[in-house]
Amino acid sequence: MQQLKALQLNQIRKSYQQGAEVLKGIDVAIQPGEFFVLVGPSGCGKSTLLRLLAGLEDVSSGEIYIGNEFANRLKPSERELSMVFQNYALFPHMTVEQNIMFGLHVKKIAKEEQRKRCEEAAEMLGLIPYLKRKPKELSGGQRQRVALARAIVSHDPICLMDEPLSNLDAKLRAKMRSEIRQLQRKLGITMIYVTHDQTEAMTMADRMMILNQGVIQQIGKPLDIYNHPQNAFVASFIGAPPMNMIPANVADSVLHITENWSMDVDIDWQGDVIAGVRPEHIQQAKSGTPSFTAEVVNVEMLGTETLISFEIQSGLQWTAKWQGQHQLNPGDIVSLFIDQNQMVFFDEKEKVNIEYQSLGAVQ
Amino acid sequence: MNIPNVEKQSMKLQTKGHKRHRRRFSFLEGWLYLLPSLFLFTAFLFYPMVRTVYLSLFYTDTQGKPMAFAGMENFTALLSSSSFLLSVKSTFLFVLYTVPVGVLLALGLALLANQKLAGIGFFRTIFSSTMGMSVAASSVIWMFIYNPSIGFANRLLTWFGLPEMQFLLDPSTALIAVAVATIWMNTGFTFLILLGGLQNIDSQLYESAKIAGVSTIYSLRKITLPMLSPTLFFVITVSMINSFQTFGQIDILTKGGPIDSTNVIVYSIYKDAFINYNIGSASAQAVILFLCVFLVTIIQFKLGERKVHYQ
Amino acid sequence: MSIGRKIILYTLLTIAGIIMFFPVVYAFMISFMQGGEVLQGKLWPDSFSFENYINAFEKVPLLKYLLNSIIVSTVITAGQLILCSLAAFAFVFTQFKGKNLLFMLFISTMMIPWEATMVPNFQTIQSLGWLNSFYGLTIPFFAMAFGTFLLRQQFKTIPIELYEASQVSGISRFKFFLTVVLPLSKTSLITLGIYCFLTAWNMYLWPLLVTNDEKVRTVQIGLKQMQTQEIASEWGVVMAGVMLVILPTLLLIFLGQKRLQEGLTKGAIK
């Protein structure tokens, strides 16, 4: 439908007059046709980055390339992109149809063609029966679809989305997630999608970038990030329930976790570390495997899986996720087993995954 | 064997009675909170309004005591009195001079002051400052500005090479001169409300328009004005009603003159009631004023319901 | 925003600002001029001496008028805040038959121009013996529909759960009003207070009708009196009086402009 476009950011910085630097040197290349997710806790700078891309705000320093064109000084409308806002930014005084076609006249598109595109988009999103209604007569999900329709009628090669699902309830969110993903594939547009929800990021992204306090924490495919988090922040941010962590010590290939629990590990490290393990990797010990015991504090049964919280150290709780249903009660003592290969270690000072350090890939 | 049962029943009854008592108390309580306001509205708004209508149907003595039933006499006398008709004409002209220009001016200022610029707060304060200026103080200042020999207005005219004017003393310019002063006085309030309305418009709507690339004029016409329409309607209504009720600037600047050219209706009521002691006629004029304001409100309300985009 | 656009905007803002504020600055300058300077039509005084201000205080009991105005405005503001918040509370937090009807009644008060009722009101005040008294100047204005609506909007934003929680813990409704609703609405109350004070301070027609000596006469009427007495000769003194009258309210605007704008819009539109 249109030529695909890549995006390239070089050393993007943004600070406001009040002082604080919101983005501290962002470098990233986004591939044409990619679904790229910016994820991070609130205030990390992800929305600001999106607004810089859209041209709604100016960068303090750095370069933005859209396609192969230097885009720093382009107006928002010259960047050939569409944007879906968090609260949809629908015009309350216009009908759905008028909303969808808003601004098309600027692109010198004939009236006929405008109508055709509007119908196409409405068809795609199931909005045909609502074209003559005003936004206030629509449900949250329908409004969301109008916003999407508006983004696709312009046939721009890049689409930016700023937390578009955060105003929907959980069920609808899950549905829209897959709908947006399918739409992006069908149209073949480059999508840059901002969210604070790691589930959204994991389920939708081709690649994602995790931001914290204006600094890139990691860029990569969701599963790579999940399995090989660059640092402790990424490890705890991605995955639910979050990765369990504990300060520990490695001496002569023995990991001392607590007073009465140590295990052999096969890592090239001496001294203090932070040891981490995902809940699904804490298994029920079979007889004969090295194990440790803990007292169950809380049990959550979800049907297909069971979440067991236990105290590993006074004041520090870990959670294990077991498949299936397990009849356990608070107070029960359980034997647990962790495969050393499933553990992740972060150096105690910089909180960086030691696997990356030995590769010399510290960022 | 039956005793516990009875006990239970009586307990039930008790709670029921208690509940009923509480509901009645709540009913009274609501009225209690409203009582002071209701009392004052009755004493100083509803009663005098009814009384005004009543008095308008009577011939009165100089104390305002009804002497003899007049029926519509007061009204028919007014409608055939050239001075009253002139007063009505002046009032409508005054509304016509002040409202459209005043609202447009304030809208222009509000659009200017709604930009995100350094130091914009300073300009907003300046533009809204006339809200803090009393009618009396403003009128005195404008009286000096219009002073034929030493005022600034004539100096400005001379500077542009135009002949000097007797602004407040010439029947053909007095009403316009008062209107200009009034527009200035009212700008502060109108500006403040319109600016508030502009700031209530979601900035993402403008950003969306920016990405679509529409022109400034287009987004003013298609986004700002429609979204601002409830505020605009409110401001137009309030300005019209205020304009109908103009008194202070007339009293200080012209006293209704020259040759009754600025004798707007409230000033005319004041003169009839408190200078000529013709209470019956004053009351009839007050009833007409009420009807005008009532009509404006109803029209605005009906139009507003149909045309205005509430979210 | 491009530089060119910025320059245009700042130019327009400055021109508009100068025009809007010119009368005030003009009056300020004249308040320092001697009679001769005024007659020459100068824009800048030869020297900034406070002679006119001292004269203003001596020629009319301006200090007394200012004090009267402060009393009247403060009492009206307090009265309006109390009555409006009580009424708004009833509209939001109590249920009773006829509530909607009463609300319509409150709305209808906005359609009655106060000037249409001034003759009987004057008679009422006269028969109560309240002419030339603070009662007559203040009490008729305590009830106010606009203020009630503004506070009603604010009270509606207080979550009903807070009310239910206080009911569960057995706090009386009135105590809930005092300890929860009022503190939570501080901003709106201040905004409304500023508005009430401005309006009361600037009242003209009613004080003109019900005061005829300096015991309770407000400063606005004092100003009219000055202007009629001093007119031809001493414009400097009159303008000094003007500056003194507008100073308190201008200060209020300078301090509360933002608040006022947000608060009034809330009451006006929603």
Side-chain angles (χ1 to χ4, degrees), chain B residues 195-258:
Chain B
L195 180 63
L198 284 177
Q199 298 200 321
N200 275 353
I201 300 175
D202 185 351
S203 63
Q204 292 196 346
L205 294 183
Y206 292 117
E207 290 178 345
S208 181
K210 243 189 196 173
I211 288 176
V214 300
S215 68
T216 315
I217 301 290
Y218 188 83
S219 71
L220 180 71
R221 212 159 48 87
K222 292 284 180 170
I223 304 175
T224 312
L225 289 183
M227 296 292 291
L228 193 64
S229 55
T231 320
L232 269 172
F233 256 80
F234 172 80
V235 154
I236 292 171
T237 314
V238 170
S239 300
M240 280 181 88
I241 293 175
N242 276 344
S243 215
F244 273 117
Q245 291 165 278
T246 302
F247 175 81
Q249 50 271 56
I250 303 286
D251 187 44
I252 290 178
L253 288 174
T254 61
K255 301 227 171 295

Side-chain angles (χ1 to χ4, degrees), chain A residues 160-360:
Chain A
L160 310 178
M161 293 197 177
D162 188 3
E163 308 230 14
L165 303 183
S166 60
N167 288 337
L168 301 179
D169 62 54
K171 222 174 192 171
L172 204 51
R173 212 178 307 160
K175 183 157 176 263
M176 289 309 293
R177 251 180 2 221
S178 98
E179 232 173 90
I180 290 179
R181 191 63 237 249
Q182 288 170 34
L183 201 64
Q184 181 263 345
R185 279 210 192 93
K186 190 144 114 203
L187 300 173
I189 44 181
T190 308
M191 176 77 81
I192 299 160
Y193 186 102
V194 161
T195 179
H196 66 271
D197 179 351
Q198 61 92 24
T199 318
E200 255 172 49
M202 289 294 291
T203 51
M204 296 174 88
D206 286 325
R207 281 194 312 146
M208 63 204 230
M209 169 164 116
I210 296 151
L211 264 178
N212 188 32
Q213 297 184 330
V215 178
I216 296 179
Q217 304 295 316
Q218 191 167 6
I219 300 175
K221 292 184 174 147
L223 281 184
D224 289 346
I225 290 178
Y226 187 82
N227 294 331
H228 306 282
Q230 178 108 31
N231 55 36
F233 174 82
V234 174
S236 62
F237 188 77
I238 299 292
M243 183 184 273
N244 299 300
M245 289 196 231
I246 190 167
N249 184 279
V250 185
D252 303 326
S253 291
V254 178
L255 175 71
H256 301 279
I257 300 172
T258 60
E259 274 170 38
N260 42 21
W261 179 31
S262 22
M263 57 196 280
D264 294 336
V265 284
D266 183 21
I267 56 168
D268 182 20
W269 186 269
Q270 288 288 340
D272 289 341
V273 288
I274 291 171
V277 61
R278 296 249 174 232
E280 63 270 29
H281 295 145
I282 304 177
Q283 302 160 21
Q284 205 165 5
K286 297 176 188 105
S287 54
T289 52
S291 67
F292 66 101
T293 56
E295 190 185 321
V296 175
V297 187
N298 190 33
V299 183
E300 290 174 37
M301 284 185 252
L302 304 170
T304 56
E305 59 197 32
T306 309
L307 297 180
I308 303 116
S309 302
F310 54 90
E311 197 160 74
I312 184 112
Q313 213 175 48
S314 82
L316 181 65
Q317 286 191 6
W318 274 21
T319 303
K321 181 153 81 178
W322 293 352
Q323 288 306 309
Q325 303 176 356
H326 300 264
Q327 289 302 326
L328 284 169
N329 289 308
D332 291 354
I333 305 290
V334 285
S335 281
L336 301 166
F337 161 73
I338 297 169
D339 180 351
Q340 64 135 321
N341 292 321
Q342 310 276 26
M343 293 198 91
V344 190
F345 300 99
F346 307 96
D347 82 83
E348 200 263 340
K349 267 206 198 96
E350 302 288 325
K351 311 270 193 288
V352 174
N353 194 336
I354 62 172
E355 156 189 7
Y356 284 87
Q357 281 187 342
S358 47
L359 290 171

Side-chain angles (χ1 to χ4, degrees), chain A residues 51 77 85 87 93 105 150, chain B residues 202 204 207-208 213 218 222:
Chain A
R51 293 170 62 80
S77 52
F85 292 86
N87 64 6
H93 56 290
H105 71 279
R150 201 165 61 178
Chain B
D202 185 351
Q204 292 196 346
E207 290 178 345
S208 181
Y218 188 83
K222 292 284 180 170

Side-chain angles (χ1 to χ4, degrees), chain C residues 51-53 57 92 94 102 117 165 190 197 215 225 243 255:
Chain C
E51 204 177 318
N52 287 333
Y53 287 82
F57 279 113
V92 178
T94 64
L102 273 187
T117 63
I190 292 174
F197 192 91
K215 197 178 78 194
Q225 187 194 353
M243 292 319 292
L255 297 176

Side-chain angles (χ1 to χ4, degrees), chain A residues 26-149:
Chain A
I26 303 294
D27 284 301
V28 65
I30 295 165
Q31 307 304 321
E34 188 172 34
F35 199 112
F36 192 85
V37 175
L38 298 174
V39 63
S42 60
C44 71
K46 55 192 189 301
S47 286
T48 308
L49 186 55
L50 198 73
R51 293 170 62 80
L52 294 178
L53 285 178
L56 294 172
E57 286 177 45
D58 293 329
V59 297
S60 300
S61 70
E63 294 149 351
I64 300 175
Y65 289 92
I66 296 176
N68 290 318
E69 196 179 358
F70 180 63
N72 277 31
R73 277 189 271 285
L74 291 183
K75 282 192 207 154
S77 52
E78 294 164 348
R79 299 188 182 200
E80 297 193 322
L81 42 79
S82 57
M83 184 160 175
V84 176
F85 292 86
Q86 184 170 4
N87 64 6
Y88 318 143
L90 301 182
F91 301 107
H93 56 290
M94 298 182 190
T95 63
V96 168
E97 188 175 26
Q98 288 167 326
N99 261 293
I100 293 176
M101 297 200 297
F102 182 85
L104 283 184
H105 71 279
V106 182
K107 297 191 193 294
K108 306 243 169 3
I109 298 168
K111 269 264 174 318
E112 299 268 299
E113 170 71 9
Q114 287 186 21
R115 210 158 290 277
K116 210 186 100 212
R117 282 194 192 182
C118 172
E119 246 161 57
E120 232 172 57
E123 174 88 65
M124 218 181 287
L125 289 154
L127 288 170
I128 296 286
Y130 309 109
L131 282 177
K132 296 293 175 203
R133 297 209 192 159
K134 296 245 172 101
K136 68 174 173 200
E137 299 164 84
L138 303 180
S139 69
Q142 289 163 342
R143 284 181 209 176
Q144 164 73 65
R145 287 202 174 86
V146 178
L148 290 180

Side-chain angles (χ1 to χ4, degrees), chain B residues 17-245:
Chain B
H18 186 62
K19 252 190 196 160
R20 196 176 301 145
H21 169 76
R22 288 222 3 208
R23 193 165 305 142
R24 193 184 312 129
F25 178 64
S26 162
F27 172 77
L28 282 176
E29 206 185 340
W31 281 88
L32 214 61
Y33 290 115
L34 290 166
L35 203 63
S37 292
L38 282 176
F39 176 75
L40 288 179
F41 277 141
T42 311
F44 293 109
L45 207 66
F46 294 126
Y47 159 72
M49 194 61 240
V50 173
R51 175 88 184 158
T52 300
V53 176
Y54 175 79
L55 286 175
S56 73
L57 303 174
F58 283 84
Y59 299 112
T60 55
D61 68 2
T62 53
Q63 291 296 306
K65 290 212 177 64
M67 303 295 284
F69 185 71
M72 284 291 141
E73 278 296 306
N74 282 326
F75 291 94
T76 46
L78 279 177
L79 291 176
S80 58
S81 130
S82 61
S83 90
F84 175 74
L85 292 178
L86 184 61
S87 164
V88 169
K89 188 181 146 204
S90 307
T91 310
F92 277 101
L93 275 180
F94 190 74
V95 172
L96 197 68
Y97 292 157
T98 52
V99 177
V101 179
V103 171
L104 281 178
L105 179 72
L107 179 63
L109 291 178
L111 287 172
L112 265 182
N114 194 34
Q115 305 288 334
K116 277 196 191 111
L117 290 169
I120 198 73
F122 171 75
F123 291 103
R124 286 179 186 169
T125 310
I126 293 290
F127 295 161
S128 51
S129 64
T130 62
M131 200 189 158
M133 307 274 301
S134 70
V135 170
S138 310
S139 302
V140 171
I141 296 177
W142 280 90
M143 175 138 219
F144 184 77
I145 291 178
Y146 286 139
N147 187 301
S149 51
I150 52 177
F152 185 77
N154 263 338
R155 303 215 313 137
L156 205 64
L157 288 184
T158 327
W159 196 63
F160 280 114
L162 297 165
E164 292 195 349
M165 292 168 78
Q166 304 276 328
F167 298 97
L168 297 171
L169 304 174
D170 182 342
S172 64
T173 55
L175 194 65
I176 293 175
V178 177
V180 170
T182 304
I183 289 170
W184 179 78
M185 290 175 209
N186 293 342
T187 301
F189 178 76
T190 318
F191 161 79
L192 212 59
I193 301 281
L194 286 176
L195 180 63
L198 284 177
Q199 298 200 321
N200 275 353
I201 300 175
D202 185 351
S203 63
Q204 292 196 346
L205 294 183
Y206 292 117
E207 290 178 345
S208 181
K210 243 189 196 173
I211 288 176
V214 300
S215 68
T216 315
I217 301 290
Y218 188 83
S219 71
L220 180 71
R221 212 159 48 87
K222 292 284 180 170
I223 304 175
T224 312
L225 289 183
M227 296 292 291
L228 193 64
S229 55
T231 320
L232 269 172
F233 256 80
F234 172 80
V235 154
I236 292 171
T237 314
V238 170
S239 300
M240 280 181 88
I241 293 175
N242 276 344
S243 215
F244 273 117
Q245 291 165 278

